[in-house]
Amino acid sequence: MKPITKDIIQKAKSPNIWDLGNQTLYNLCKEHFEHKNDEAIIAKVWLIGRAYAAAIERRKNAKETNDNFYSYHVLNAFKKSDLDLWLKELELFDNVTIENIPLILTVHKKLVDLIKGITAMEKRSFTSKYLHFHLPHLFYIYDSRAVEDMRKHTSRVPNKFNQILKHHNFDDEYAKFACKCLAITEEIEKQHHIKLSPRELDNFLLYEEE
């Protein structure tokens, strides 16, 4: 495991050139938190997916235009789902803990399954990013880069999470990654008395590869 330096932690918490773009997406999701307005749903799904190289329209056996896919399948799936109820249940929490991570991972899995119904693909990366912009203090940003960077710190999920992972129906890859994220966040807080948000942890992993 690589040593955790305070310089990298401070850099992860410092402003960077991507903040304005990300804040635009945070504001969009805050102002249109629910999934009732057609334009808002399409804007959130489209812009988050494209900005984070996780476009939802990349799907198996596509037989129609992207416009039709968004205006029919995406809208119907999101509006008819209980996504707003799932998100509101999580709004009660201020940060990720070992006590609430099962519910966080359950919501992630539910949205992965919902999206799989219209794409025939497990969009765990898009799902993590979509949920992150709605509840940025609860969802870690998952993609291949973050997973690779995490391996420099730990190759296995800490034992204290084994019972959680064993007895729940989660998206396995994201669940393992999120548990590692929580563990390293706790370790940073223990060593340096600094608590990183999921966004700051993503910065930390990115800067660690430089």
Side-chain angles (χ1 to χ4, degrees):
M1 179 183 294
K2 294 182 64 174
I4 299 171
T5 67
K6 198 161 188 176
D7 286 345
I8 294 295
I9 295 170
Q10 294 294 356
K11 186 177 181 182
K13 293 181 72 68
S14 299
N16 64 64
I17 61 173
W18 302 105
D19 287 347
L20 179 59
N22 285 323
Q23 192 58 53
T24 300
L25 295 177
Y26 288 128
N27 292 342
L28 173 64
C29 293
K30 183 177 181 179
E31 293 168 11
H32 302 279
F33 189 79
E34 295 184 329
H35 295 79
K36 296 178 180 178
N37 178 274
D38 291 3
E39 291 182 357
I41 293 171
I42 288 180
K44 291 189 293 183
V45 173
W46 172 49
L47 293 175
I48 292 171
R50 289 294 184 91
Y52 275 78
I56 195 173
E57 66 264 24
R58 296 173 188 163
R59 57 202 190 275
K60 288 185 177 180
N61 304 318
K63 297 180 180 178
E64 58 191 326
T65 65
N66 287 340
D67 286 354
N68 287 339
F69 174 70
Y70 274 99
S71 62
Y72 181 76
H73 295 289
V74 171
L75 282 180
N76 281 339
F78 278 70
K79 289 179 73 173
K80 292 180 179 179
S81 74
D82 291 323
L83 179 55
D84 289 337
L85 296 177
W86 307 337
L87 294 178
K88 286 184 181 300
E89 189 174 7
L90 292 177
E91 278 189 296
L92 302 172
F93 304 119
D94 295 324
N95 56 277
V96 188
T97 67
I98 195 168
E99 289 77 23
N100 66 27
I101 199 169
L103 183 55
I104 293 168
L105 296 177
T106 296
V107 170
H108 177 270
K109 178 64 162 63
K110 286 179 177 179
L111 187 52
V112 166
D113 289 345
L114 178 72
I115 294 171
K116 186 176 181 180
I118 59 174
T119 65
M121 298 176 69
E122 293 181 330
K123 298 276 188 174
R124 65 177 60 90
S125 177
F126 169 83
T127 299
S128 75
K129 295 163 182 175
Y130 190 81
L131 292 172
H132 170 80
F133 279 102
H134 286 78
L135 295 171
H137 53 297
L138 297 182
F139 286 94
Y140 299 107
I141 299 169
Y142 174 99
D143 53 31
S144 58
R145 186 271 303 168
V147 170
E148 185 62 30
D149 292 342
M150 180 62 76
R151 291 196 182 105
K152 299 171 185 176
H153 291 281
T154 180
S155 60
R156 57 190 296 273
V157 177
N159 291 334
K160 68 178 182 178
F161 295 103
N162 287 345
Q163 288 298 107
I164 293 174
L165 297 178
K166 188 182 297 183
H167 292 99
H168 291 80
N169 178 31
F170 304 136
D171 176 78
D172 189 55
E173 292 300 315
Y174 183 74
K176 291 177 181 177
F177 175 76
C179 288
K180 291 177 184 179
C181 287
L182 176 56
I184 196 171
T185 300
E186 291 177 338
E187 184 61 29
I188 289 171
E189 185 173 16
K190 178 181 177 182
Q191 289 187 27
H192 299 283
H193 309 290
I194 298 173
K195 192 174 188 66
L196 297 184
S197 68
R199 165 63 64 187
E200 291 166 345
L201 180 64
D202 187 67
N203 291 340
F204 170 82
L205 293 174
L206 175 62
Y207 295 144
E208 278 284 85
E209 73 178 9
E210 296 179 351

